[in-house]
Amino acid sequence: SSAFLSGQKIRFGLFGKIIIVMLIVSLLPFAIFWGITLRETNQRVRTETEKLMAQTAIGLGEQVDGWIDNNVSILRTAANLNEIQSMDRTKQEPVLKAIQQEYPWMYLVFTVDYDGMNIARNDNKSLRDYSDRQYYKDVIGGKKLSWQTLIGKTSKKPALVLAVPIKSGERLVGVIAAAMNVDVI
């Protein structure tokens, strides 16, 4: 019986051969079409995803730029007030508190004199020496705007500090700055 099974080959008749040829003829174009469609769909999805990511990045960049511009504008406006230019703590503190009330993400709004010593702040905490901070050095060095990410001396958390000069006439008299927690931003 084993000799009988081993010598037997599988044979297709004319009908079987026609079925196989018909399947190949009908399925081959379908397989080719499916392969081309899959490749094009993958390319299209990749291209559309890249476009969406690029647009999202541009949109986020524009939002961050606009947000920073708004915050810098309020600091520049405050720096032009006589109360801030006076470098008098009792005159500056109400303005600094008003800014913080209007912009609650600014946990600290403060002024620093030409030597880096804190003059006034919105939070009634003790005055500090900020002469070691890069934003102070940049503004005293002549920049019209400086920012620095750092660990806040007040909050002890990662913060972004924006700073602009305070001028009395053409003379640089100090720096006004605002600190914001990075997680709030």
Side-chain angles (χ1 to χ4, degrees):
S1 117
S2 63
F4 178 74
L5 289 174
S6 64
Q8 198 176 34
K9 293 184 180 178
I10 298 175
R11 293 189 175 167
F12 293 103
L14 182 60
F15 181 73
K17 289 178 183 176
I18 290 173
I19 294 285
I20 290 172
V21 169
M22 293 299 284
L23 281 173
I24 290 172
V25 168
S26 63
L27 292 178
L28 185 63
F30 175 73
I32 292 170
F33 174 76
W34 180 81
I36 291 170
T37 303
L38 180 65
R39 191 180 75 218
E40 287 180 1
T41 302
N42 283 343
Q43 288 175 342
R44 190 174 309 129
V45 166
R46 179 176 291 136
T47 302
E48 292 300 319
T49 302
E50 287 172 357
K51 283 181 185 176
L52 179 63
M53 289 172 60
Q55 289 173 346
T56 301
I58 289 168
L60 284 173
E62 288 173 355
Q63 281 186 322
V64 169
D65 287 347
W67 186 84
I68 287 175
D69 286 346
N70 288 341
N71 287 287
V72 169
S73 291
I74 189 61
L75 291 177
R76 286 189 172 138
T77 301
N80 288 324
L81 297 174
N82 290 333
E83 292 86 346
I84 298 296
Q85 291 174 353
S86 72
M87 298 307 285
D88 179 345
R89 181 178 185 176
T90 58
K91 292 179 180 177
Q92 287 182 342
E93 280 186 350
V95 174
L96 301 178
K97 288 177 182 182
I99 291 171
Q100 196 279 326
Q101 287 274 310
E102 199 62 33
Y103 298 86
W105 55 88
M106 295 179 180
Y107 71 87
L108 178 62
V109 185
F110 61 103
T111 58
V112 179
D113 68 13
Y114 194 82
D115 296 323
M117 192 59 197
N118 194 195
I119 296 295
R121 40 192 308 134
N122 68 286
D123 62 2
N124 297 323
K125 292 189 178 176
S126 62
L127 301 177
R128 299 177 187 260
D129 182 358
Y130 289 101
S131 62
D132 63 328
R133 297 299 198 181
Q134 190 60 47
Y135 60 84
Y136 159 78
K137 293 175 184 176
D138 288 348
V139 172
I140 293 299
K143 287 190 175 182
K144 294 181 180 180
L145 167 65
S146 182
W147 63 85
Q148 183 181 7
T149 52
L150 45 75
I151 300 299
K153 289 184 179 185
T154 301
S155 71
K156 306 291 188 228
K157 294 180 180 178
L160 169 68
V161 178
L162 300 173
V164 298
I166 301 171
K167 290 187 175 184
S168 180
E170 290 299 313
R171 188 172 60 93
L172 179 63
V173 294
V175 176
I176 183 169
M180 295 150 264
N181 286 333
V182 171
D183 58 346
V184 172
I185 296 169

